[in-house]
């Protein structure tokens, strides 16, 4: 990944935008950066999982039925297995009484041979005995056990589920690439399978950087604030189908961060860092990672979230590649937007999903706001109303200001304002990426 | 719950419906049964959870900010804290050079008193020193450390985030009843909170009944099939926000089942059983639970899913009420539909959610099918197309036949056919409950 565009900040040319921020002329578009990320991410190698662990994973093999499903002709009702020819004239006016020669509960392997004029009591799911060609539901009988009186003629084959009616032995019941939702886990069980090859949920270390950060709930002195990003991003990893390992906050100290990251290689699939990616003198993430030559840093034409870093920890001595590294800006709104735009699709791809992106809807702007020229804006919004009448408003009075975490907490979506649009007017139609 | 409608099956009058099944005249509508269930379910008492466990739970208290957020004026940029009056004429033609009297990294508690003509280097998030009233971004300087040359005049207050700008100490940042999605977990962290009072995820035991059931993957003989319902319903519990305890399959033996259920009292919030709720001679769930007088059994006017049971395990000696009991039909499609229609809303309510129901959409039937008179039909369907052009088709050739688990695995929704509708014709608009 060396030479993919990382170069010292001072080589950039700059232009000033509306809110006083600068956008380097060489900044990447969001689409280019997303392509850059996704081109370097592939589905994790399949692992064997038990059916109890399979929910939400993506199947990495076709699943075939081991037997016919159902494996034998069986009763769809509680009632009596009969020969329908014995009962063609049965009715409430002309009930027919026949001897009950067997009692067949579910699970029985018993197979009495029914002769003409004989019936067997049978429960739902029990195998149809040889000689029987219909089932009379219990409601059409007097429920007798020695003899039974039947008041209604069954159709031929009534209430018999045929072997293989649902699937034949060898039939594909689930295809590779399927997301294992509950009915699919059940279909695998029904097919006689106890474990599946699936792409594992990606394991993702989450680290906040910044000497100002303390654990929430601990006392703060001047200059300190609670770490919220590690909680934000760990929860977002879970919501994206990953398994977060939340390592909390580390100070702006290169030795500490480098040794933490080195210890993670080989144990996680990805590392999500926040903070320390800008041009400041203490930007520890950039200081540790940029010299490796395997992590790109640079500006992306978006607001918030301009400074981004992406790459991998270097391969080990056996050439096994290191975990993916996402270096996100430290402000919570910037970190969240960056996660949704770049990290979430990548984690979905690691998990084997082909449907990588959030649902978007169209809605009407309920108020006006500005967007910086030359940058795609992701505005946290609330959504009111339904269908074509959906109206969005900024979830924080201050708009997309990147530290407004309490306002962000009310947002259910991010309004997407294209690079070339500098103002959303009340009544405009906007596209909204739903994030909850 | 004694006397709420449980009475022996033989007291029912019956009428025959189109597919040969019988519907007792006394059968409840789906709406009545759902009201019956939900009237007996309340949110679980709140528990204290750490922020790492909070995702997806429902908050049971208001969360107030412990301090101003941010707690002190701080810099929004890497740059220099200045007195803007010193720089009103600064420009690239007329750069201004000033002494740097302090270096303020994030996390510092240092508060140098800036005099006129002095500046301090400052990093994003560091406290604004007394005397400073603007921040000049690093990009508008030569990045000097002893002296700095500034080429652009800042606006007063530029790039300063004010204390309390996001929330004031004591402000409510999250309200009781809020679902704790990632940005809300982060807001609690930002507010200085390390734990929250929330409604716990319901703990739900899942048990399949039936002597025909074997663990998937084990060999089957005539009469036996793999247990799929315990996998189906455990995964559905997880998808509904609950914590499943999958106990597998038990045979149709009253002593075994009674002792298993008795052992669960006090350890789980709900028990979901499948099978054994019909009128058959070996219907073990009904045989064990009906005599307790605390579990209602009866028919519901729906297809599939007609036989239903719902109630509670009896209170213990200290009058602590027992777990909720959902007794679902044993056929996989019936069990799934029953779960979606009755169990899922109840589990959501246990978890403190007020939004109990699945999303429904409107779509066009891509084919015709029949529905039994007097019963609400839940037809598993696939959905193709987008928006107003969405088209649904039955996901299994056999339609809503209740054992077609492989077909059910492809369904993304259940088409809802009202009681009084007996046929859906191609081109009809139908309402679909999305279930994935």
């Amino acid at each position: 990944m060396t030479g993919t565009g990382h170069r010292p900040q001072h080589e950039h040319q700059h232009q000033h935008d509306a809110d006083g921020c600068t956008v380097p002329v060489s900044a990447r578009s969001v689409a280019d950066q997303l392509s850059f990320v996704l081109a370097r991410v592939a589905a994790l190698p399949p692992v064997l999982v038990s059916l109890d662990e399979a929910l939400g994973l993506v199947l990495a093999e076709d699943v075939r039925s081991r037997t016919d499903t159902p494996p034998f002709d069986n009763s769809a009702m509680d009632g009596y297995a009969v020969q329908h020819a014995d009962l063609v004239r049965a009715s409430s006016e002309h009930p027919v009484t026949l001897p009950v020669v067997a009692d067949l509960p579910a699970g029985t392997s018993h197979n009495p041979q029914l002769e003409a004029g004989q019936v067997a009591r049978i429960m739902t799911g029990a195998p149809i005995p040889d000689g029987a060609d219909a089932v009379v539901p219990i409601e059409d009988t007097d429920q007798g056990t020695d003899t039974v009186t039947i008041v209604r003629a069954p159709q031929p084959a009534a209430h018999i589920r045929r072997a293989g009616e649902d699937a034949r032995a060898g039939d594909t019941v689930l295809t590779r690439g399927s997301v294992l939702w509950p009915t699919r886990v059940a279909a695998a069980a029904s097919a006689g399978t106890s474990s599946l090859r699936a792409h594992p949920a990606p394991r993702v270390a989450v680290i906040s950087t910044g000497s100002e950060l303390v654990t929430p709930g601990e006392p703060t002195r001047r200059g300190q604030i609670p770490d919220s990003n590690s909680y934000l991003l760990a929860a977002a990893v879970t919501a994206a189908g990953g398994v977060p390992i939340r390592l909390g906050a580390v100070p702006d100290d290169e030795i500490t961060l480098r040794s933490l990251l080195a210890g993670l290689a080989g144990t996680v699939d990805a590392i999500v860092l926040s903070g320390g990616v800008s041009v400041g003198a203490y930007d520890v993430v950039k200081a540790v990672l940029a010299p490796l030559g395997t992590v790109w840093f640079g500006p992306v034409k978006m607001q918030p979230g301009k400074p981004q870093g992406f790459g991998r920890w270097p391969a080990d001595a056996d050439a096994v590649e290191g975990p993916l590294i996402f270096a996100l800006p430290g402000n919570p709104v910037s970190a969240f937007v960056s996660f949704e735009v770049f990290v979430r699709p990548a984690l979905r791809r690691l998990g084997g999903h082909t449907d990588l992106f959030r649902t978007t809807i169209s809605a009407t702007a309920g108020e006006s706001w500005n967007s910086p020229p030359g940058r795609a804006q992701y505005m946290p919004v609330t959504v009111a109303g339904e269908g074509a009448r959906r109206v969005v408003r900024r979830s924080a009075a201050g708009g997309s200001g990147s530290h407004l975490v309490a306002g962000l907490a009310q947002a259910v979506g991010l309004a997407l304002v294209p690079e070339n649009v500098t103002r959303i007017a009340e009544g405009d139609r906007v596209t909204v990426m739903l994030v909850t």
Side-chain angles (χ1 to χ4, degrees), chain A residues 41-380:
Chain A
V41 177
L44 294 171
V47 294
L48 199 67
V49 296
S50 78
L51 293 186
D52 285 314
E53 309 166 307
L55 182 67
L57 300 183
V58 175
L59 192 60
E61 61 181 349
D62 288 351
V63 175
R64 293 172 200 285
S65 194
R66 297 202 180 180
T67 60
D68 285 352
T69 306
F72 44 85
D73 291 0
N74 69 93
S75 179
M77 301 287 283
D78 296 321
Y80 295 82
V82 302
Q83 298 196 353
H84 90 279
D86 293 336
L87 295 160
V88 284
R89 283 182 241 164
S91 68
S92 36
E93 292 74 39
H94 300 286
V96 175
T97 300
L98 295 171
V100 180
V101 300
D103 188 19
L104 302 173
T108 188
S109 61
H110 187 41
N111 186 8
Q113 311 292 309
L114 283 200
E115 307 291 335
Q118 297 182 334
V119 307
R121 193 163 77 140
I122 192 165
M123 297 300 130
T124 306
I128 300 292
D130 288 347
D133 59 7
V135 170
V136 175
I138 203 168
E139 295 89 337
D140 294 338
T141 75
D142 68 353
Q143 307 190 28
T145 51
D146 292 335
T147 62
V148 64
T149 299
I150 292 169
V151 297
R152 195 179 188 217
Q155 297 294 312
H159 306 305
I160 295 177
R161 299 169 183 157
R162 292 296 175 192
E165 187 176 299
D166 199 13
R168 288 279 174 195
D171 276 2
T172 299
V173 295
L174 294 172
T175 53
R176 182 178 171 165
S178 299
V179 178
L180 291 163
W181 55 53
T183 57
R184 288 179 173 166
V185 175
S190 242
T193 298
S194 59
S195 57
L196 296 169
R197 283 167 54 82
H199 299 287
R203 293 174 53 83
V204 183
V206 176
I207 303 167
S208 300
T209 68
S211 295
E212 74 279 23
L213 301 176
V214 298
T215 300
E218 291 188 2
T220 50
R221 57 160 175 70
R222 174 182 163 87
Q224 293 182 324
I225 58 170
D227 166 32
S228 64
N229 278 353
S230 76
Y231 297 91
L232 172 69
L233 296 169
V237 165
T238 302
V243 178
I245 298 95
R246 194 184 60 77
L247 297 171
V250 297
D252 294 320
D253 176 77
E254 293 184 31
I255 293 171
T256 304
L257 181 62
R258 190 178 296 112
S259 100
L260 178 60
L261 295 177
L264 291 173
T267 68
V268 296
D269 304 306
I271 301 168
V272 177
L273 294 148
S274 60
V277 294
S278 289
V279 295
Y282 300 90
D283 279 325
V284 65
V285 170
K286 203 166 177 177
V288 168
L289 296 177
L292 300 176
T294 57
V295 182
W296 173 91
F297 284 91
V300 175
K301 288 184 264 184
M302 62 192 291
Q303 192 245 356
K306 188 174 69 167
Q308 295 286 335
F310 171 72
R312 278 193 185 273
W313 188 256
D316 67 14
D318 299 323
V320 175
E321 47 178 22
L324 293 170
I325 293 180
F326 296 89
L328 313 184
N331 289 315
V333 183
S334 306
F336 179 67
V337 167
S338 302
F339 184 93
E340 287 292 330
V341 174
F342 301 118
V343 185
R344 191 177 199 279
L347 297 186
R348 301 267 301 164
R349 178 164 284 178
L350 282 176
H353 291 270
T354 51
D355 177 10
L356 304 183
F357 301 112
R358 291 283 203 184
T359 301
T360 57
I361 60 167
S362 182
T364 303
E367 58 186 9
S368 305
W369 70 82
N370 294 327
S371 180
R375 289 207 271 167
Q377 187 186 51
Y378 293 83
M379 176 65 77

